[in-house]
Amino acid sequence: MLKLAWKNILHKPLNLLLNILLLSLGVGLISFLFLLNDQLKDKFDKNLAGIDLVIGAKGSPLQMILCSMYHIDNPTGNIKISEATPYLRPNHPLIKQAVPLSLGDSYSGFRIVGTEHNLVELYNGKIAKGKMFNNTLEATIGATVAKQAGLKIGDSFKSTHGFIQDEDMMHDHGSLTVVGILEGSGSVLDQLILCNTGTVWAMHDHEEGPTVINEEEPHDHNEEGHHHNHDHEGHDHSDHDHSGHHDHEDHDHGDHAGHDHEDHNHDHDHHHGHSHNHGHHEHGVSRADLLSHPDKEITSVLLQYKSKTNIHALNMPRTIRDNTEMMAASPAYEINRLYSMMGVGTKVLQSLAFLIAFVSAISIFISLLSSLRERAYELSLIRVMGAKPMQLFMLLIYEGLLLAFIGAVIGFIFSRIAMYFMVGYMGDNYNYEFATGLFNSNDWKILAVSLLIGFVA
């Protein structure tokens, strides 16, 4: 009977094509939506990393969250360290951990983030090769960056203003050197180039070209025109004292973090043989150094509370909004709001998919009914040859189930093809790695509903 049912549905190939096409479109669309939602939810949830609050410049809270945590949007602006200092100080009574971020540059489409080592700890990241960044112009890169940009330990590269690959916007000084590569974690770390905040400041400190100050070259303090002011190819180092602190002239470069460069202190360690590259301090910026530059800028701060139930912690966003020039946003709240906004479009597409599946069920029913009428004489002969009524009934059931099964399988193939292109799009535009999803836990449910449609038809 199963073989006869297969022959029957092949007897009218156009009807077969129409029924399968309708059902596969409905199944494919539903399956694709499940795949996409699961992948997006997994990425969003994994990248929350226990962060309770993000502080940044006033603007769109969702934009700030997407930029600072998911790195798929532009910054709302920069904030002065003096404004963020209360939340960056150690031993804050409410804050367990604060992670400063400085954004604004990129390389080969991957974002450069000036930060501290505790950002990697938030995402449970581990070093695969090399070490974590420490000194100025050192970078530790994510696994995806290393793979797609072809970078390895010891390679140097120049950053670009903004997040778009544009050779005209490339910094012509201050190459970053790769000192470490992180293990792939499936988190946002995979697509980031991490360095210290001092590196971001250094890349925007001078626009007139690189200068390497040779430590062994003696400085003639009595030479005419110097008067303790050392001008090295346009780099004005005023008030050179024996502690090695240099004050740099302000350079305003728009919205990139760290473009305000007053009182930039450089610590020169003459006991370790470090050369003074670009006149910048070699040991980066520690938390104490960061707080000692109140007029400089960063992009945002990621916060973790000591207690999520503390009433003062829960009121912190309102306090920041009402009493400072900054804005605070809760990642969990904003991502749920994003889910709800996406949910409207998803529900529309799901409704369309269910409508297509319903039309497909009607089409299969009409096809089987027409076939039954045309084969009345044939079915009578089968009955005369000894077939029971239940066998004839199962013949029709087999036909409906075969149509539904074939339609579901082709629908699954359609959904994977669509997901393949979505993976390519997300990778090209946002550097996010999505899996094509050969199997999804919802596939069994979709297959069961498809077979039910065939059975009912």
Side-chain angles (χ1 to χ4, degrees):
M1 284 298 176
L2 188 61
K3 183 178 179 181
L4 184 58
W6 175 246
K7 292 288 186 179
N8 283 336
I9 63 175
L10 288 179
H11 181 64
K12 290 189 174 181
L14 290 179
N15 279 349
L16 174 66
L17 181 63
L18 176 63
N19 291 328
I20 288 178
L21 183 62
L22 282 172
L23 188 59
S24 61
L25 284 175
V27 168
L29 188 53
I30 294 171
S31 177
F32 172 72
L33 290 174
F34 276 126
L35 283 172
L36 186 60
N37 283 340
D38 287 351
Q39 294 265 354
L40 287 174
K41 192 173 188 308
D42 178 66
K43 290 291 182 184
F44 279 128
D45 291 348
K46 184 176 290 186
N47 290 328
L48 282 174
I51 297 166
D52 298 306
L53 199 67
V54 179
I55 301 174
K58 288 188 176 180
S60 165
L62 180 58
Q63 179 183 344
M64 183 173 67
I65 296 298
L66 292 177
C67 174
S68 298
M69 293 183 58
Y70 300 97
H71 299 274
I72 53 176
D73 207 336
N74 295 316
T76 54
N78 292 325
I79 56 176
K80 285 188 177 293
I81 292 176
S82 58
E83 295 177 321
T85 293
Y87 309 98
L88 289 169
R89 290 193 185 282
N91 303 319
H92 191 285
L94 302 177
I95 297 172
K96 176 184 176 182
Q97 188 167 210
V99 184
L101 301 180
S102 297
L103 307 171
D105 287 339
S106 64
Y107 170 73
S108 191
F110 296 99
R111 299 193 178 195
I112 297 173
V113 181
T115 185
E116 298 174 353
H117 293 180
N118 52 2
L119 178 68
V120 177
E121 297 168 5
L122 278 178
Y123 295 94
N124 298 317
K126 297 179 180 178
I127 285 287
K129 298 178 182 178
K131 63 177 184 177
M132 287 297 297
F133 59 88
N134 283 309
N135 299 328
T136 301
L137 300 179
E138 287 185 349
T140 300
I141 63 177
T144 302
V145 181
K147 178 181 176 182
Q148 295 188 12
L151 293 174
K152 57 185 183 298
I153 303 294
D155 285 353
S156 295
F157 60 91
K158 292 183 181 296
S159 62
T160 302
H161 275 300
F163 303 136
I164 301 174
Q165 299 183 55
D166 186 351
E167 292 184 0
D168 295 333
M169 299 296 289
M170 184 178 293
H171 294 288
D172 58 358
H173 66 283
S175 296
L176 282 82
T177 301
V178 178
V179 297
I181 299 174
L182 296 171
E183 289 183 1
S185 61
S187 70
V188 72
L189 286 181
D190 294 346
Q191 64 196 49
L192 298 180
I193 299 172
L194 305 178
C195 59
N196 58 39
T197 309
T199 296
V200 177
W201 292 344
M203 288 189 295
H204 301 96
D205 217 358
H206 305 288
E207 295 296 330
E208 297 181 12
T211 296
V212 177
I213 300 176
N214 190 340
E215 189 177 73
E216 298 177 358
E217 182 180 344
H219 298 284
D220 186 359
H221 294 276
N222 297 320
E223 184 180 345
E224 183 179 354
H226 281 260
H227 302 295
H228 300 279
N229 296 329
H230 305 279
D231 189 3
H232 301 281
E233 296 184 18
H235 300 268
D236 186 18
H237 305 283
S238 302
D239 300 320
H240 189 114
D241 60 34
H242 294 288
S243 65
H245 296 293
H246 301 268
D247 293 333
H248 286 255
E249 183 183 353
D250 289 353
H251 297 266
D252 186 6
H253 297 280
D255 288 337
H256 294 284
H259 293 182
D260 187 356
H261 307 281
E262 294 178 0
D263 303 324
H264 192 124
N265 294 336
H266 303 271
D267 299 325
H268 301 274
D269 189 347
H270 296 281
H271 302 287
H272 292 79
H274 295 298
S275 63
H276 303 295
N277 189 17
H278 305 279
H280 300 295
H281 57 297
E282 287 291 333
H283 292 288
V285 174
S286 66
R287 180 61 61 84
D289 291 332
L290 193 73
L291 297 180
S292 69
H293 295 79
D295 291 327
K296 288 190 177 296
E297 294 181 341
I298 56 176
T299 303
S300 57
V301 182
L302 309 181
L303 300 181
Q304 275 186 330
Y305 295 146
K306 289 182 177 178
S307 172
K308 299 180 188 296
T309 58
N310 187 300
I311 187 66
H312 298 292
L314 297 176
N315 286 330
M316 190 180 292
R318 179 180 296 176
T319 302
I320 293 172
R321 182 190 64 195
D322 294 341
N323 299 295
T324 73
E325 295 300 317
M326 301 183 296
M327 171 181 67
S330 166
Y333 174 79
E334 294 301 329
I335 293 306
N336 283 332
R337 197 162 67 89
L338 180 63
Y339 283 154
S340 65
M341 289 189 291
M342 290 171 53
V344 175
T346 302
K347 287 178 181 178
V348 171
L349 290 176
Q350 283 180 340
S351 299
L352 178 61
F354 287 129
L355 179 61
I356 294 173
F358 178 72
V359 172
S360 171
I362 295 175
S363 176
I364 293 173
F365 168 74
I366 293 173
S367 176
L368 293 176
L369 181 62
S370 175
S371 175
L372 178 64
R373 288 175 176 173
E374 291 176 2
R375 289 185 292 136
Y377 181 70
E378 175 188 330
L379 294 175
S380 298
L381 287 177
I382 295 173
R383 185 80 173 85
V384 168
M385 292 170 67
K388 297 179 180 179
M390 180 56 69
Q391 288 177 298
L392 295 184
F393 176 71
M394 290 307 299
L395 177 63
L396 295 176
I397 295 298
Y398 286 150
E399 290 182 25
L401 293 177
L402 282 171
L403 284 170
F405 180 77
I406 295 171
V409 170
I410 295 178
F412 291 144
I413 294 173
F414 281 168
S415 69
R416 270 53 179 185
I417 292 173
M419 196 64 199
Y420 173 80
F421 286 108
M422 177 59 72
V423 167
Y425 172 80
M426 295 298 289
D428 292 341
N429 289 275
Y430 303 107
N431 297 316
Y432 267 89
E433 288 191 347
F434 280 16
T436 51
L438 294 178
F439 178 78
N440 185 273
S441 58
N442 293 302
D443 288 347
W444 291 115
K445 299 175 185 177
I446 297 173
L447 179 61
V449 172
S450 300
L451 294 176
L452 181 63
I453 288 174
F455 178 83
V456 172

